[in-house]
Amino acid sequence: MFLTPYFSKQDQTVHVTAQQASDFAKAIASDFNPIHNVGAKRFCVPGDLLFALVLNQYGLHQKMHFTFEGMVGDGVELQFADSVASQFAISDSRDKTYLQVETSGDKVHCATQIESFVRSYVAFSGLNFIHVLVPMMKQHQMMINPARPLVIYESMSFDLHTLDFDQVSLKLVDQQLEITGKRGDVTLSFELLANDRVVGTGVKTLVMSGLRPYEAEKAAGMVADYESYRHAFEAA
C-alpha cells in the first residue's frame, strides 16, 4: 500500500512521526503549510493523512462523513480497532478524540480504488490555499492573520452513486465563504469523476479564524512564502 512509508502500526496502535507526516503533506498532498514541518511550534499531522489511514484500514464506503475534532501532534498514539460500527471515532491512548467517522452503503477494500481516491482528494485539498482560499479572501476583502496563517480543517463528506470504477478525479463545482465577525466558514463542493462521468459528490468545510481587513501586499507575501516552501522541497 502506498501509505506504508507514512505510518507504523502495532496491534491496534497507529503512530505517525513528524517526519512521516511532513513527507506525506509535501510528497502526496502537495501541502506546504509550515504547520506540517518537522519542528514546527504548532506541528500537526495533516487531516488528509488521517482520512487516508481510515480508508486504508476500513475500506471505501459509498457514503462517508469525517468530522475533525483535534490536531494530532508528534508522538500521539492513535487507536484503530480491527472492526468498527457504522459510526466510530479515532482517539488516542488517553481517549482524546481527533476524528469522528460515519459510514453507510456498500463498501470496497480495493487497494487500486482507495489509492486513486486518496491521491485525487489530497491533491485537490493541497491546492485549496493558493487556488481557492486566497482568491476568496481577496473577493471578500478579508484575510487570515499573515503572521499565523492557520486554517482549520472542519469536515469532509462524500456520496458515491457507484463503486464501479478504478480511477477517480475531483472537480471543484462551488465555493462559499460566510463571514461572522472574525470567523470565516468555507464550504467547498466537488464532484467525483470516473471516465468523464460523475460518480459522486462531496463537500469539504474549513474554518478561517482571526479575520482582518484584506491587505494585498501581505496576502501576496503569504503566497510567496508558500511557494518558496514548494520550490525548496522540489529542489531538495
Side-chain angles (χ1 to χ4, degrees):
M1 180 63 177
F2 82 106
L3 290 175
T4 300
Y6 307 109
F7 75 104
S8 60
K9 186 170 188 276
Q10 183 174 7
D11 298 326
Q12 295 183 340
T13 300
V14 169
H15 180 259
V16 179
T17 68
Q19 188 64 60
Q20 288 173 317
S22 182
D23 289 345
F24 176 89
K26 296 173 175 62
I28 303 298
S30 294
D31 180 355
F32 296 90
N33 187 333
I35 201 170
H36 303 315
N37 289 345
V38 176
K41 184 177 180 180
R42 295 178 295 161
F43 169 84
C44 76
V45 173
D48 286 340
L49 179 51
L50 298 185
F51 155 77
L53 291 173
V54 168
L55 264 61
N56 179 61
Q57 174 79 14
Y58 303 113
L60 175 65
H61 296 252
Q62 279 187 281
K63 295 183 180 182
M64 302 188 78
H65 183 88
F66 302 82
T67 303
F68 296 87
E69 297 190 351
M71 296 192 294
V72 178
D74 184 22
V76 172
E77 296 182 338
L78 299 171
Q79 304 304 303
F80 277 65
D82 289 335
S83 61
V84 292
S86 60
Q87 298 184 22
F88 60 95
I90 301 299
S91 305
D92 63 16
S93 54
R94 298 180 179 180
D95 290 330
K96 178 180 178 180
T97 297
Y98 296 91
L99 178 64
Q100 295 278 359
V101 184
E102 299 176 30
T103 67
S104 62
D106 294 335
K107 178 183 77 170
V108 293
H109 214 139
C110 170
T112 299
Q113 284 179 290
I114 291 174
E115 178 171 349
S116 175
F117 197 101
V118 168
R119 285 187 181 276
S120 296
Y121 176 71
V122 302
F124 160 80
S125 187
L127 293 172
N128 288 167
F129 181 70
I130 290 182
H131 297 280
V132 179
L133 298 184
V134 172
M136 290 179 78
M137 287 188 277
K138 181 178 180 180
Q139 176 187 352
H140 291 268
Q141 289 296 293
M142 296 291 285
M143 66 185 292
I144 57 178
N145 182 354
R148 300 181 65 186
L150 182 63
V151 179
I152 303 299
Y153 196 167
E154 187 175 56
S155 70
M156 181 273 208
S157 61
F158 59 82
D159 182 353
L160 290 165
H161 313 323
T162 177
L163 292 170
D164 183 22
F165 61 83
D166 290 324
Q167 302 294 320
V168 67
S169 60
L170 274 74
K171 176 184 177 183
L172 179 67
V173 294
D174 190 39
Q175 56 196 61
Q176 300 291 333
L177 171 58
E178 183 177 339
I179 297 175
T180 306
K182 293 184 177 181
R183 174 187 170 108
D185 291 291
V186 178
T187 303
L188 306 178
S189 301
F190 55 88
E191 290 179 336
L192 295 144
L193 307 171
N195 296 321
D196 296 324
R197 62 189 175 99
V198 177
V199 295
T201 58
V203 177
K204 175 181 181 178
T205 65
L206 304 162
V207 176
M208 299 193 297
S209 58
L211 293 181
R212 61 204 56 210
Y214 181 83
E215 296 181 60
E217 185 174 343
K218 290 184 177 180
M222 284 195 296
V223 172
D225 287 344
Y226 193 90
E227 286 293 273
S228 72
Y229 304 144
R230 182 194 308 276
H231 295 324
F233 172 75
E234 291 173 349

